[in-house]
Amino acid sequence: MNKVIQQEEEQAEVSPMEGLLSSVDLHIPVVGDILEGTVLEKTSNSMLLDLGPIGTGIVYGAELKDGMGITSALSVGDKVKATLTDIENEEGYLELSVRQASYNRAWEDLEEKKEKKESMPTRILDANKGGLLVELNGITGFLPVSQLSNANYPRVENGDKNRILELLKKLVGQDLRVRILDCDKETEKLIVSEKAAQSEKEMTAISELKVGDIVEGDVSGVVDFGAFVKFFPPSRKDVGAAEEKLEGLVHISELAWQLIDDPREIVKVGDTVQAKIIGIDETRISLSMKSLQKDPWTEVHERYQVGQEVQGKVDKINPFGAFVYLDKDIHGLAHISEFKNAHPGKTMEEMLVPGESYRWKILSIEARSHRMGLTLLKK
């Protein structure tokens, strides 16, 4: 074939856009590149961009939307970055997406905020039994129940998951301040924490407290392992708003001096109580109610002596033996090994009924450790 004819055919196959790009000494973009352009025209469903020597780009419909609010704030003359999605569409424009470019920038912004430990507002989209779905920079993330602040944490007796979900759903549509705990664009993993966002504020309030302080507050929740109490830090005691309250835990062992199977037997939600601060670990405050009560074991030797025969009610039986109350405060243990020696061939379940009283002999008293050894007397 004649070389001249061949060159004319090759030139005929080249599009006007390709011809323009080849005539200018510049970087030829490829699909996926992020380009910067100046807004020429903007409507509700499209936007024209001046890309300089490259030509004119257009952004259509859904590709205008972004999670960082970039497009909504643009006007003619503003510069914006967009991702190239088509080198030349049917109208001869380079087709672009602000949404895709914004998606990359959104993750970069989230990474920066994570590293700087910045807090940011988020809207609660939905709830499930594990936590809340949130949105940051147009990206969906997850806020686990365990990372909710004290004010929003669902205090549910018996850990009823359906009741927890009911309380979480009340947060849908609300705005919360959160801090990013985990952020990974590759796996699209975004985990946030309301508790971490408030920790700095809480730490400031907690710094007013010290072990040994006595606080007064309201029981905000009762669970199997204890009771939560909300109270004001000293500086906000008379002027504070409800959200400024701190929250501490009274462990079941610190509710009262007697043995407790169910904290609900001692306190209920809404009760006003006093407690002593016995521990502060970052934002965790440990409280004790029994520390403000007189230890009945300090006078145990005035009421009971080793070798004494007493009447006592069986509280419960476990593999170690039987727990027995001599009065409302003092209890003892009839150990299983002692029982077997004294009553060979018998079991505690055969001879003892929880709630019934029997005659016992005191074998030992250890007041400091709140221990008393008992043996069942034969009828």
Coordinates of all heavy atoms in Angstrom, one line a residue, residues 158-225:
N158 N -30.7 -7.8 83.0 CA -30.6 -9.1 82.4 C -30.0 -9.1 81.0 O -30.0 -10.2 80.3 CB -31.9 -9.8 82.5 CG -32.5 -9.9 83.8 OD1 -31.8 -10.2 84.8 ND2 -33.8 -9.7 84.0
G159 N -29.5 -8.0 80.6 CA -28.9 -7.9 79.2 C -29.9 -8.3 78.1 O -29.4 -8.9 77.1
D160 N -31.1 -8.0 78.2 CA -32.1 -8.3 77.2 C -31.8 -7.6 75.9 O -31.9 -6.4 75.8 CB -33.5 -7.8 77.7 CG -34.6 -8.2 76.7 OD1 -34.4 -8.4 75.5 OD2 -35.8 -8.4 77.2
K161 N -31.4 -8.4 74.9 CA -30.9 -7.8 73.6 C -32.0 -7.0 72.9 O -31.8 -6.1 72.2 CB -30.3 -8.9 72.7 CG -29.0 -9.4 73.3 CD -28.4 -10.4 72.3 CE -27.0 -10.9 72.9 NZ -26.4 -11.9 71.9
N162 N -33.3 -7.5 73.0 CA -34.4 -6.8 72.3 C -34.6 -5.5 72.9 O -34.9 -4.5 72.2 CB -35.6 -7.7 72.4 CG -35.5 -8.9 71.5 OD1 -34.9 -8.9 70.4 ND2 -36.1 -10.0 72.0
R163 N -34.5 -5.4 74.3 CA -34.7 -4.1 74.9 C -33.5 -3.2 74.6 O -33.8 -2.0 74.4 CB -34.8 -4.4 76.5 CG -34.9 -3.1 77.3 CD -36.1 -2.3 76.9 NE -36.2 -1.1 77.8 CZ -36.8 0.0 77.4 NH1 -37.4 0.1 76.2 NH2 -36.8 1.1 78.2
I164 N -32.3 -3.7 74.5 CA -31.2 -2.9 74.1 C -31.4 -2.3 72.8 O -31.1 -1.1 72.5 CB -29.9 -3.8 74.1 CG1 -29.5 -4.1 75.6 CG2 -28.7 -3.0 73.5 CD1 -28.3 -5.1 75.7
L165 N -31.9 -3.1 71.8 CA -32.2 -2.6 70.5 C -33.2 -1.5 70.5 O -33.1 -0.5 69.7 CB -32.6 -3.8 69.6 CG -32.9 -3.4 68.1 CD1 -31.6 -2.8 67.5 CD2 -33.3 -4.7 67.3
E166 N -34.2 -1.7 71.3 CA -35.2 -0.6 71.4 C -34.6 0.7 71.8 O -34.9 1.8 71.3 CB -36.3 -1.0 72.4 CG -37.3 -2.1 72.0 CD -38.2 -2.4 73.1 OE1 -38.5 -1.6 74.0 OE2 -38.8 -3.6 73.1
L167 N -33.7 0.7 72.8 CA -33.1 1.9 73.3 C -32.1 2.5 72.2 O -32.0 3.7 72.1 CB -32.3 1.6 74.6 CG -33.2 1.2 75.8 CD1 -32.3 0.9 77.0 CD2 -34.2 2.3 76.2
L168 N -31.4 1.6 71.5 CA -30.5 2.1 70.5 C -31.3 2.8 69.3 O -30.8 3.8 68.8 CB -29.7 0.9 69.9 CG -28.6 0.3 70.9 CD1 -27.9 -0.9 70.2 CD2 -27.6 1.3 71.3
K169 N -32.4 2.2 69.0 CA -33.2 2.8 67.9 C -33.7 4.2 68.2 O -33.9 5.0 67.3 CB -34.4 1.9 67.6 CG -34.0 0.7 66.8 CD -35.3 -0.1 66.4 CE -34.9 -1.3 65.5 NZ -36.1 -2.1 65.2
K170 N -33.7 4.6 69.5 CA -34.1 5.9 69.9 C -33.1 7.0 69.5 O -33.3 8.2 69.4 CB -34.4 6.0 71.4 CG -35.7 5.2 71.8 CD -35.9 5.4 73.3 CE -37.2 4.6 73.7 NZ -37.4 4.8 75.2
L171 N -31.8 6.5 69.2 CA -30.7 7.4 68.8 C -30.7 7.6 67.3 O -30.0 8.5 66.9 CB -29.4 6.8 69.3 CG -29.2 6.6 70.8 CD1 -27.9 5.9 71.1 CD2 -29.2 8.0 71.5
V172 N -31.4 6.8 66.5 CA -31.4 7.0 65.1 C -31.9 8.4 64.7 O -33.0 8.9 65.2 CB -32.3 5.9 64.4 CG1 -32.4 6.2 62.9 CG2 -31.7 4.5 64.7
G173 N -31.2 9.0 63.8 CA -31.5 10.4 63.4 C -30.8 11.5 64.2 O -30.8 12.6 63.8
Q174 N -30.2 11.1 65.4 CA -29.5 12.1 66.2 C -28.1 12.3 65.7 O -27.5 11.4 65.0 CB -29.5 11.6 67.7 CG -30.9 11.6 68.3 CD -30.8 11.3 69.8 OE1 -29.8 11.6 70.4 NE2 -31.8 10.7 70.4
D175 N -27.5 13.4 66.1 CA -26.1 13.6 65.8 C -25.3 13.4 67.1 O -25.6 14.0 68.1 CB -25.9 15.1 65.3 CG -26.5 15.3 63.9 OD1 -26.5 14.3 63.1 OD2 -27.1 16.4 63.7
L176 N -24.2 12.7 67.0 CA -23.3 12.5 68.1 C -21.9 12.9 67.7 O -21.5 12.8 66.5 CB -23.3 11.0 68.5 CG -24.6 10.4 68.9 CD1 -24.4 8.9 69.3 CD2 -25.2 11.1 70.1
R177 N -21.1 13.2 68.6 CA -19.6 13.5 68.4 C -18.9 12.2 68.6 O -19.1 11.6 69.7 CB -19.1 14.6 69.2 CG -19.6 16.0 68.8 CD -18.7 17.1 69.3 NE -17.5 17.2 68.5 CZ -17.4 17.8 67.3 NH1 -18.4 18.3 66.8 NH2 -16.2 17.8 66.7
V178 N -18.0 11.8 67.7 CA -17.3 10.6 67.8 C -15.8 10.8 67.4 O -15.5 11.8 66.8 CB -17.9 9.5 66.8 CG1 -19.3 9.1 67.2 CG2 -17.8 9.9 65.4
R179 N -15.0 9.8 67.8 CA -13.6 9.8 67.4 C -13.4 8.5 66.6 O -14.0 7.4 67.0 CB -12.7 9.9 68.6 CG -11.4 10.5 68.3 CD -10.6 10.7 69.5 NE -9.8 9.5 69.9 CZ -9.2 9.4 71.0 NH1 -9.2 10.3 71.9 NH2 -8.5 8.2 71.2
I180 N -12.5 8.5 65.6 CA -12.3 7.3 64.8 C -11.3 6.4 65.5 O -10.2 6.8 65.9 CB -11.7 7.7 63.4 CG1 -12.8 8.6 62.7 CG2 -11.4 6.5 62.6 CD1 -12.2 9.3 61.5
L181 N -11.7 5.1 65.7 CA -10.8 4.1 66.3 C -10.1 3.3 65.2 O -8.9 3.0 65.4 CB -11.6 3.1 67.1 CG -12.3 3.7 68.4 CD1 -13.0 2.6 69.1 CD2 -11.4 4.5 69.3
D182 N -10.7 3.0 64.1 CA -10.1 2.2 63.1 C -10.6 2.6 61.7 O -11.8 2.9 61.5 CB -10.5 0.7 63.3 CG -9.6 -0.3 62.5 OD1 -8.7 0.2 61.8 OD2 -9.8 -1.5 62.6
C183 N -9.7 2.7 60.8 CA -10.1 3.3 59.4 C -9.2 2.6 58.4 O -8.0 2.7 58.4 CB -9.8 4.8 59.5 SG -10.1 5.7 58.0
D184 N -9.8 1.9 57.4 CA -9.1 1.2 56.4 C -9.9 1.2 55.1 O -10.9 0.6 54.9 CB -8.9 -0.3 56.8 CG -8.0 -1.1 55.9 OD1 -7.9 -0.6 54.7 OD2 -7.5 -2.1 56.3
K185 N -9.4 2.0 54.1 CA -10.1 2.2 52.9 C -10.1 0.8 52.1 O -11.2 0.6 51.5 CB -9.3 3.2 52.0 CG -9.9 3.4 50.6 CD -9.0 4.3 49.8 CE -9.5 4.4 48.4 NZ -8.6 5.2 47.5
E186 N -9.1 0.0 52.1 CA -9.1 -1.2 51.3 C -10.2 -2.1 51.7 O -10.8 -2.8 50.9 CB -7.7 -1.9 51.5 CG -6.5 -1.1 51.0 CD -6.7 -0.7 49.5 OE1 -7.1 -1.6 48.7 OE2 -6.4 0.4 49.2
T187 N -10.4 -2.3 53.0 CA -11.5 -3.2 53.5 C -12.8 -2.4 53.8 O -13.8 -3.0 54.2 CB -11.1 -3.9 54.7 OG1 -10.7 -3.0 55.8 CG2 -9.8 -4.8 54.5
E188 N -12.8 -1.1 53.6 CA -13.9 -0.2 53.8 C -14.4 -0.4 55.3 O -15.6 -0.4 55.6 CB -15.1 -0.5 52.9 CG -14.7 -0.1 51.4 CD -15.9 -0.2 50.5 OE1 -16.8 -1.1 50.7 OE2 -15.9 0.5 49.5
K189 N -13.4 -0.4 56.2 CA -13.7 -0.6 57.6 C -13.6 0.7 58.3 O -12.5 1.4 58.3 CB -12.8 -1.6 58.2 CG -13.0 -1.9 59.7 CD -12.0 -2.9 60.2 CE -12.2 -3.3 61.7 NZ -11.2 -4.2 62.2
L190 N -14.7 1.1 59.0 CA -14.7 2.4 59.7 C -15.4 2.2 61.1 O -16.6 1.9 61.1 CB -15.4 3.5 58.9 CG -15.5 4.9 59.6 CD1 -14.1 5.4 59.9 CD2 -16.3 5.8 58.7
I191 N -14.6 2.2 62.2 CA -15.1 2.0 63.5 C -14.9 3.3 64.3 O -13.8 3.9 64.3 CB -14.4 0.9 64.2 CG1 -14.4 -0.4 63.4 CG2 -15.1 0.6 65.6 CD1 -15.8 -1.0 63.2
V192 N -16.0 3.8 65.0 CA -15.9 5.0 65.7 C -16.3 4.8 67.1 O -16.9 3.8 67.5 CB -16.7 6.1 65.0 CG1 -16.3 6.4 63.6 CG2 -18.2 5.8 65.1
S193 N -16.0 5.8 68.0 CA -16.3 5.7 69.4 C -16.9 7.1 69.9 O -16.2 8.1 69.7 CB -15.1 5.3 70.2 OG -15.3 5.5 71.6
E194 N -18.0 7.1 70.5 CA -18.5 8.3 71.2 C -17.8 8.4 72.5 O -17.5 9.5 72.9 CB -20.0 8.2 71.4 CG -20.6 9.4 72.0 CD -22.0 9.3 72.6 OE1 -22.4 8.1 72.8 OE2 -22.7 10.3 72.8
K195 N -17.5 7.3 73.2 CA -16.9 7.3 74.5 C -15.5 8.0 74.4 O -15.1 8.8 75.2 CB -16.7 5.9 75.0 CG -16.1 5.8 76.4 CD -16.4 4.4 77.0 CE -15.7 3.3 76.2 NZ -15.9 2.0 76.9
A196 N -14.7 7.6 73.3 CA -13.4 8.2 73.2 C -13.4 9.7 72.9 O -12.6 10.4 73.3 CB -12.7 7.5 72.0
A197 N -14.5 10.1 72.2 CA -14.6 11.6 71.9 C -14.9 12.4 73.1 O -14.5 13.5 73.2 CB -15.7 11.8 70.9
Q198 N -15.5 11.8 74.1 CA -15.8 12.5 75.3 C -14.8 12.3 76.4 O -14.9 12.9 77.5 CB -17.2 12.0 75.8 CG -18.3 12.4 75.0 CD -19.7 12.3 75.6 OE1 -19.8 11.5 76.6 NE2 -20.7 13.0 75.2
S199 N -13.8 11.4 76.2 CA -12.9 11.0 77.2 C -12.1 12.2 77.7 O -11.8 12.4 78.9 CB -11.9 9.9 76.8 OG -11.1 10.4 75.7
E200 N -11.7 13.2 76.8 CA -10.9 14.3 77.2 C -11.7 15.2 78.2 O -11.2 15.6 79.2 CB -10.5 15.1 76.0 CG -9.6 16.3 76.4 CD -9.1 17.0 75.1 OE1 -9.1 16.5 74.0 OE2 -8.6 18.2 75.3
K201 N -13.0 15.4 77.9 CA -13.9 16.2 78.7 C -14.1 15.5 80.0 O -14.1 16.1 81.1 CB -15.2 16.4 78.0 CG -16.2 17.2 78.8 CD -17.5 17.3 78.0 CE -18.6 18.1 78.8 NZ -19.8 18.2 78.0
E202 N -14.3 14.1 80.0 CA -14.5 13.4 81.2 C -13.2 13.4 82.0 O -13.3 13.5 83.3 CB -14.8 11.9 80.8 CG -16.2 11.7 80.5 CD -16.6 10.2 80.3 OE1 -16.0 9.6 79.4 OE2 -17.4 9.7 81.1
M203 N -12.1 13.3 81.4 CA -10.8 13.3 82.2 C -10.6 14.6 82.9 O -10.1 14.6 84.1 CB -9.6 13.0 81.2 CG -9.5 11.6 80.7 SD -9.3 10.4 82.0 CE -7.7 10.7 82.6
T204 N -11.0 15.7 82.3 CA -11.0 17.0 83.0 C -11.8 17.0 84.2 O -11.4 17.4 85.3 CB -11.4 18.1 82.1 OG1 -10.5 18.1 80.9 CG2 -11.3 19.5 82.8
A205 N -13.0 16.4 84.1 CA -14.0 16.4 85.2 C -13.5 15.4 86.3 O -13.5 15.6 87.5 CB -15.4 16.0 84.8
I206 N -12.9 14.2 85.8 CA -12.5 13.2 86.8 C -11.2 13.7 87.5 O -11.0 13.3 88.7 CB -12.2 11.9 86.0 CG1 -13.5 11.3 85.5 CG2 -11.4 10.9 86.8 CD1 -13.3 10.1 84.6
S207 N -10.5 14.6 86.9 CA -9.3 15.1 87.6 C -9.6 15.9 88.9 O -8.8 16.1 89.7 CB -8.5 16.0 86.7 OG -9.2 17.2 86.4
E208 N -10.9 16.2 89.0 CA -11.4 16.9 90.3 C -11.5 15.9 91.4 O -11.7 16.3 92.6 CB -12.7 17.6 90.0 CG -12.7 18.7 89.0 CD -14.0 19.3 88.8 OE1 -14.8 19.3 89.8 OE2 -14.3 19.8 87.7
L209 N -11.6 14.6 91.1 CA -11.9 13.6 92.0 C -10.6 12.9 92.6 O -9.5 13.0 91.9 CB -12.8 12.5 91.4 CG -14.0 12.9 90.7 CD1 -14.7 11.7 90.1 CD2 -15.0 13.6 91.7
K210 N -10.7 12.3 93.7 CA -9.6 11.5 94.3 C -10.2 10.3 95.1 O -11.3 10.4 95.5 CB -8.7 12.3 95.1 CG -9.3 12.9 96.4 CD -8.3 13.8 97.1 CE -8.8 14.3 98.4 NZ -10.0 15.2 98.2
V211 N -9.4 9.3 95.2 CA -9.8 8.1 95.9 C -10.1 8.5 97.4 O -9.3 9.3 98.0 CB -8.7 7.0 95.9 CG1 -9.1 5.9 96.9 CG2 -8.6 6.5 94.5
G212 N -11.2 8.1 97.9 CA -11.5 8.5 99.3 C -12.7 9.5 99.3 O -13.3 9.7 100.4
D213 N -12.9 10.2 98.2 CA -14.0 11.2 98.1 C -15.3 10.5 98.3 O -15.5 9.3 97.8 CB -14.0 11.9 96.8 CG -12.9 13.0 96.7 OD1 -12.3 13.2 97.7 OD2 -12.7 13.5 95.6
I214 N -16.3 11.2 98.9 CA -17.6 10.6 99.0 C -18.5 11.4 98.1 O -18.5 12.7 98.0 CB -18.1 10.8 100.5 CG1 -17.3 9.9 101.4 CG2 -19.6 10.3 100.6 CD1 -17.6 10.1 102.9
V215 N -19.3 10.7 97.2 CA -20.2 11.3 96.3 C -21.6 10.9 96.5 O -21.9 9.8 97.1 CB -19.7 11.0 94.8 CG1 -18.3 11.4 94.5 CG2 -19.8 9.5 94.6
E216 N -22.5 11.7 96.0 CA -23.9 11.4 96.1 C -24.5 11.5 94.7 O -24.3 12.4 93.9 CB -24.7 12.4 97.0 CG -26.2 12.0 97.2 CD -26.9 12.9 98.2 OE1 -26.8 12.6 99.4 OE2 -27.5 13.9 97.7
G217 N -25.3 10.4 94.3 CA -25.8 10.4 93.0 C -27.0 9.5 92.9 O -27.5 8.9 93.9
D218 N -27.5 9.3 91.7 CA -28.7 8.5 91.4 C -28.3 7.2 90.7 O -27.4 7.2 89.8 CB -29.7 9.2 90.6 CG -30.2 10.5 91.3 OD1 -30.3 10.5 92.5 OD2 -30.4 11.5 90.5
V219 N -28.9 6.1 91.1 CA -28.6 4.8 90.5 C -29.2 4.9 89.0 O -30.4 5.1 88.8 CB -29.3 3.6 91.2 CG1 -29.1 2.3 90.5 CG2 -28.7 3.6 92.7
S220 N -28.3 4.7 88.1 CA -28.7 4.8 86.7 C -28.9 3.5 86.0 O -29.5 3.4 84.9 CB -27.6 5.6 85.9 OG -26.4 5.0 86.0
G221 N -28.5 2.4 86.6 CA -28.6 1.1 86.0 C -28.2 0.0 87.0 O -27.3 0.2 87.9
V222 N -28.9 -1.1 87.0 CA -28.6 -2.2 87.9 C -28.5 -3.4 87.0 O -29.3 -3.8 86.2 CB -29.7 -2.5 88.9 CG1 -29.3 -3.6 89.9 CG2 -30.0 -1.2 89.7
V223 N -27.3 -4.1 87.1 CA -27.0 -5.3 86.3 C -26.6 -6.4 87.3 O -26.5 -6.2 88.5 CB -25.9 -5.0 85.3 CG1 -26.4 -4.1 84.2 CG2 -24.7 -4.4 85.9
D224 N -26.3 -7.6 86.7 CA -26.0 -8.7 87.6 C -24.8 -8.5 88.4 O -24.6 -9.1 89.5 CB -25.9 -10.0 86.7 CG -27.2 -10.4 86.1 OD1 -28.2 -10.0 86.7 OD2 -27.2 -11.2 85.2
F225 N -23.8 -7.7 87.9 CA -22.5 -7.6 88.6 C -22.4 -6.3 89.4 O -21.4 -6.0 90.0 CB -21.4 -7.6 87.6 CG -21.5 -6.6 86.5 CD1 -21.0 -5.3 86.6 CD2 -22.0 -7.0 85.2 CE1 -21.1 -4.4 85.6 CE2 -22.1 -6.1 84.2 CZ -21.7 -4.8 84.4

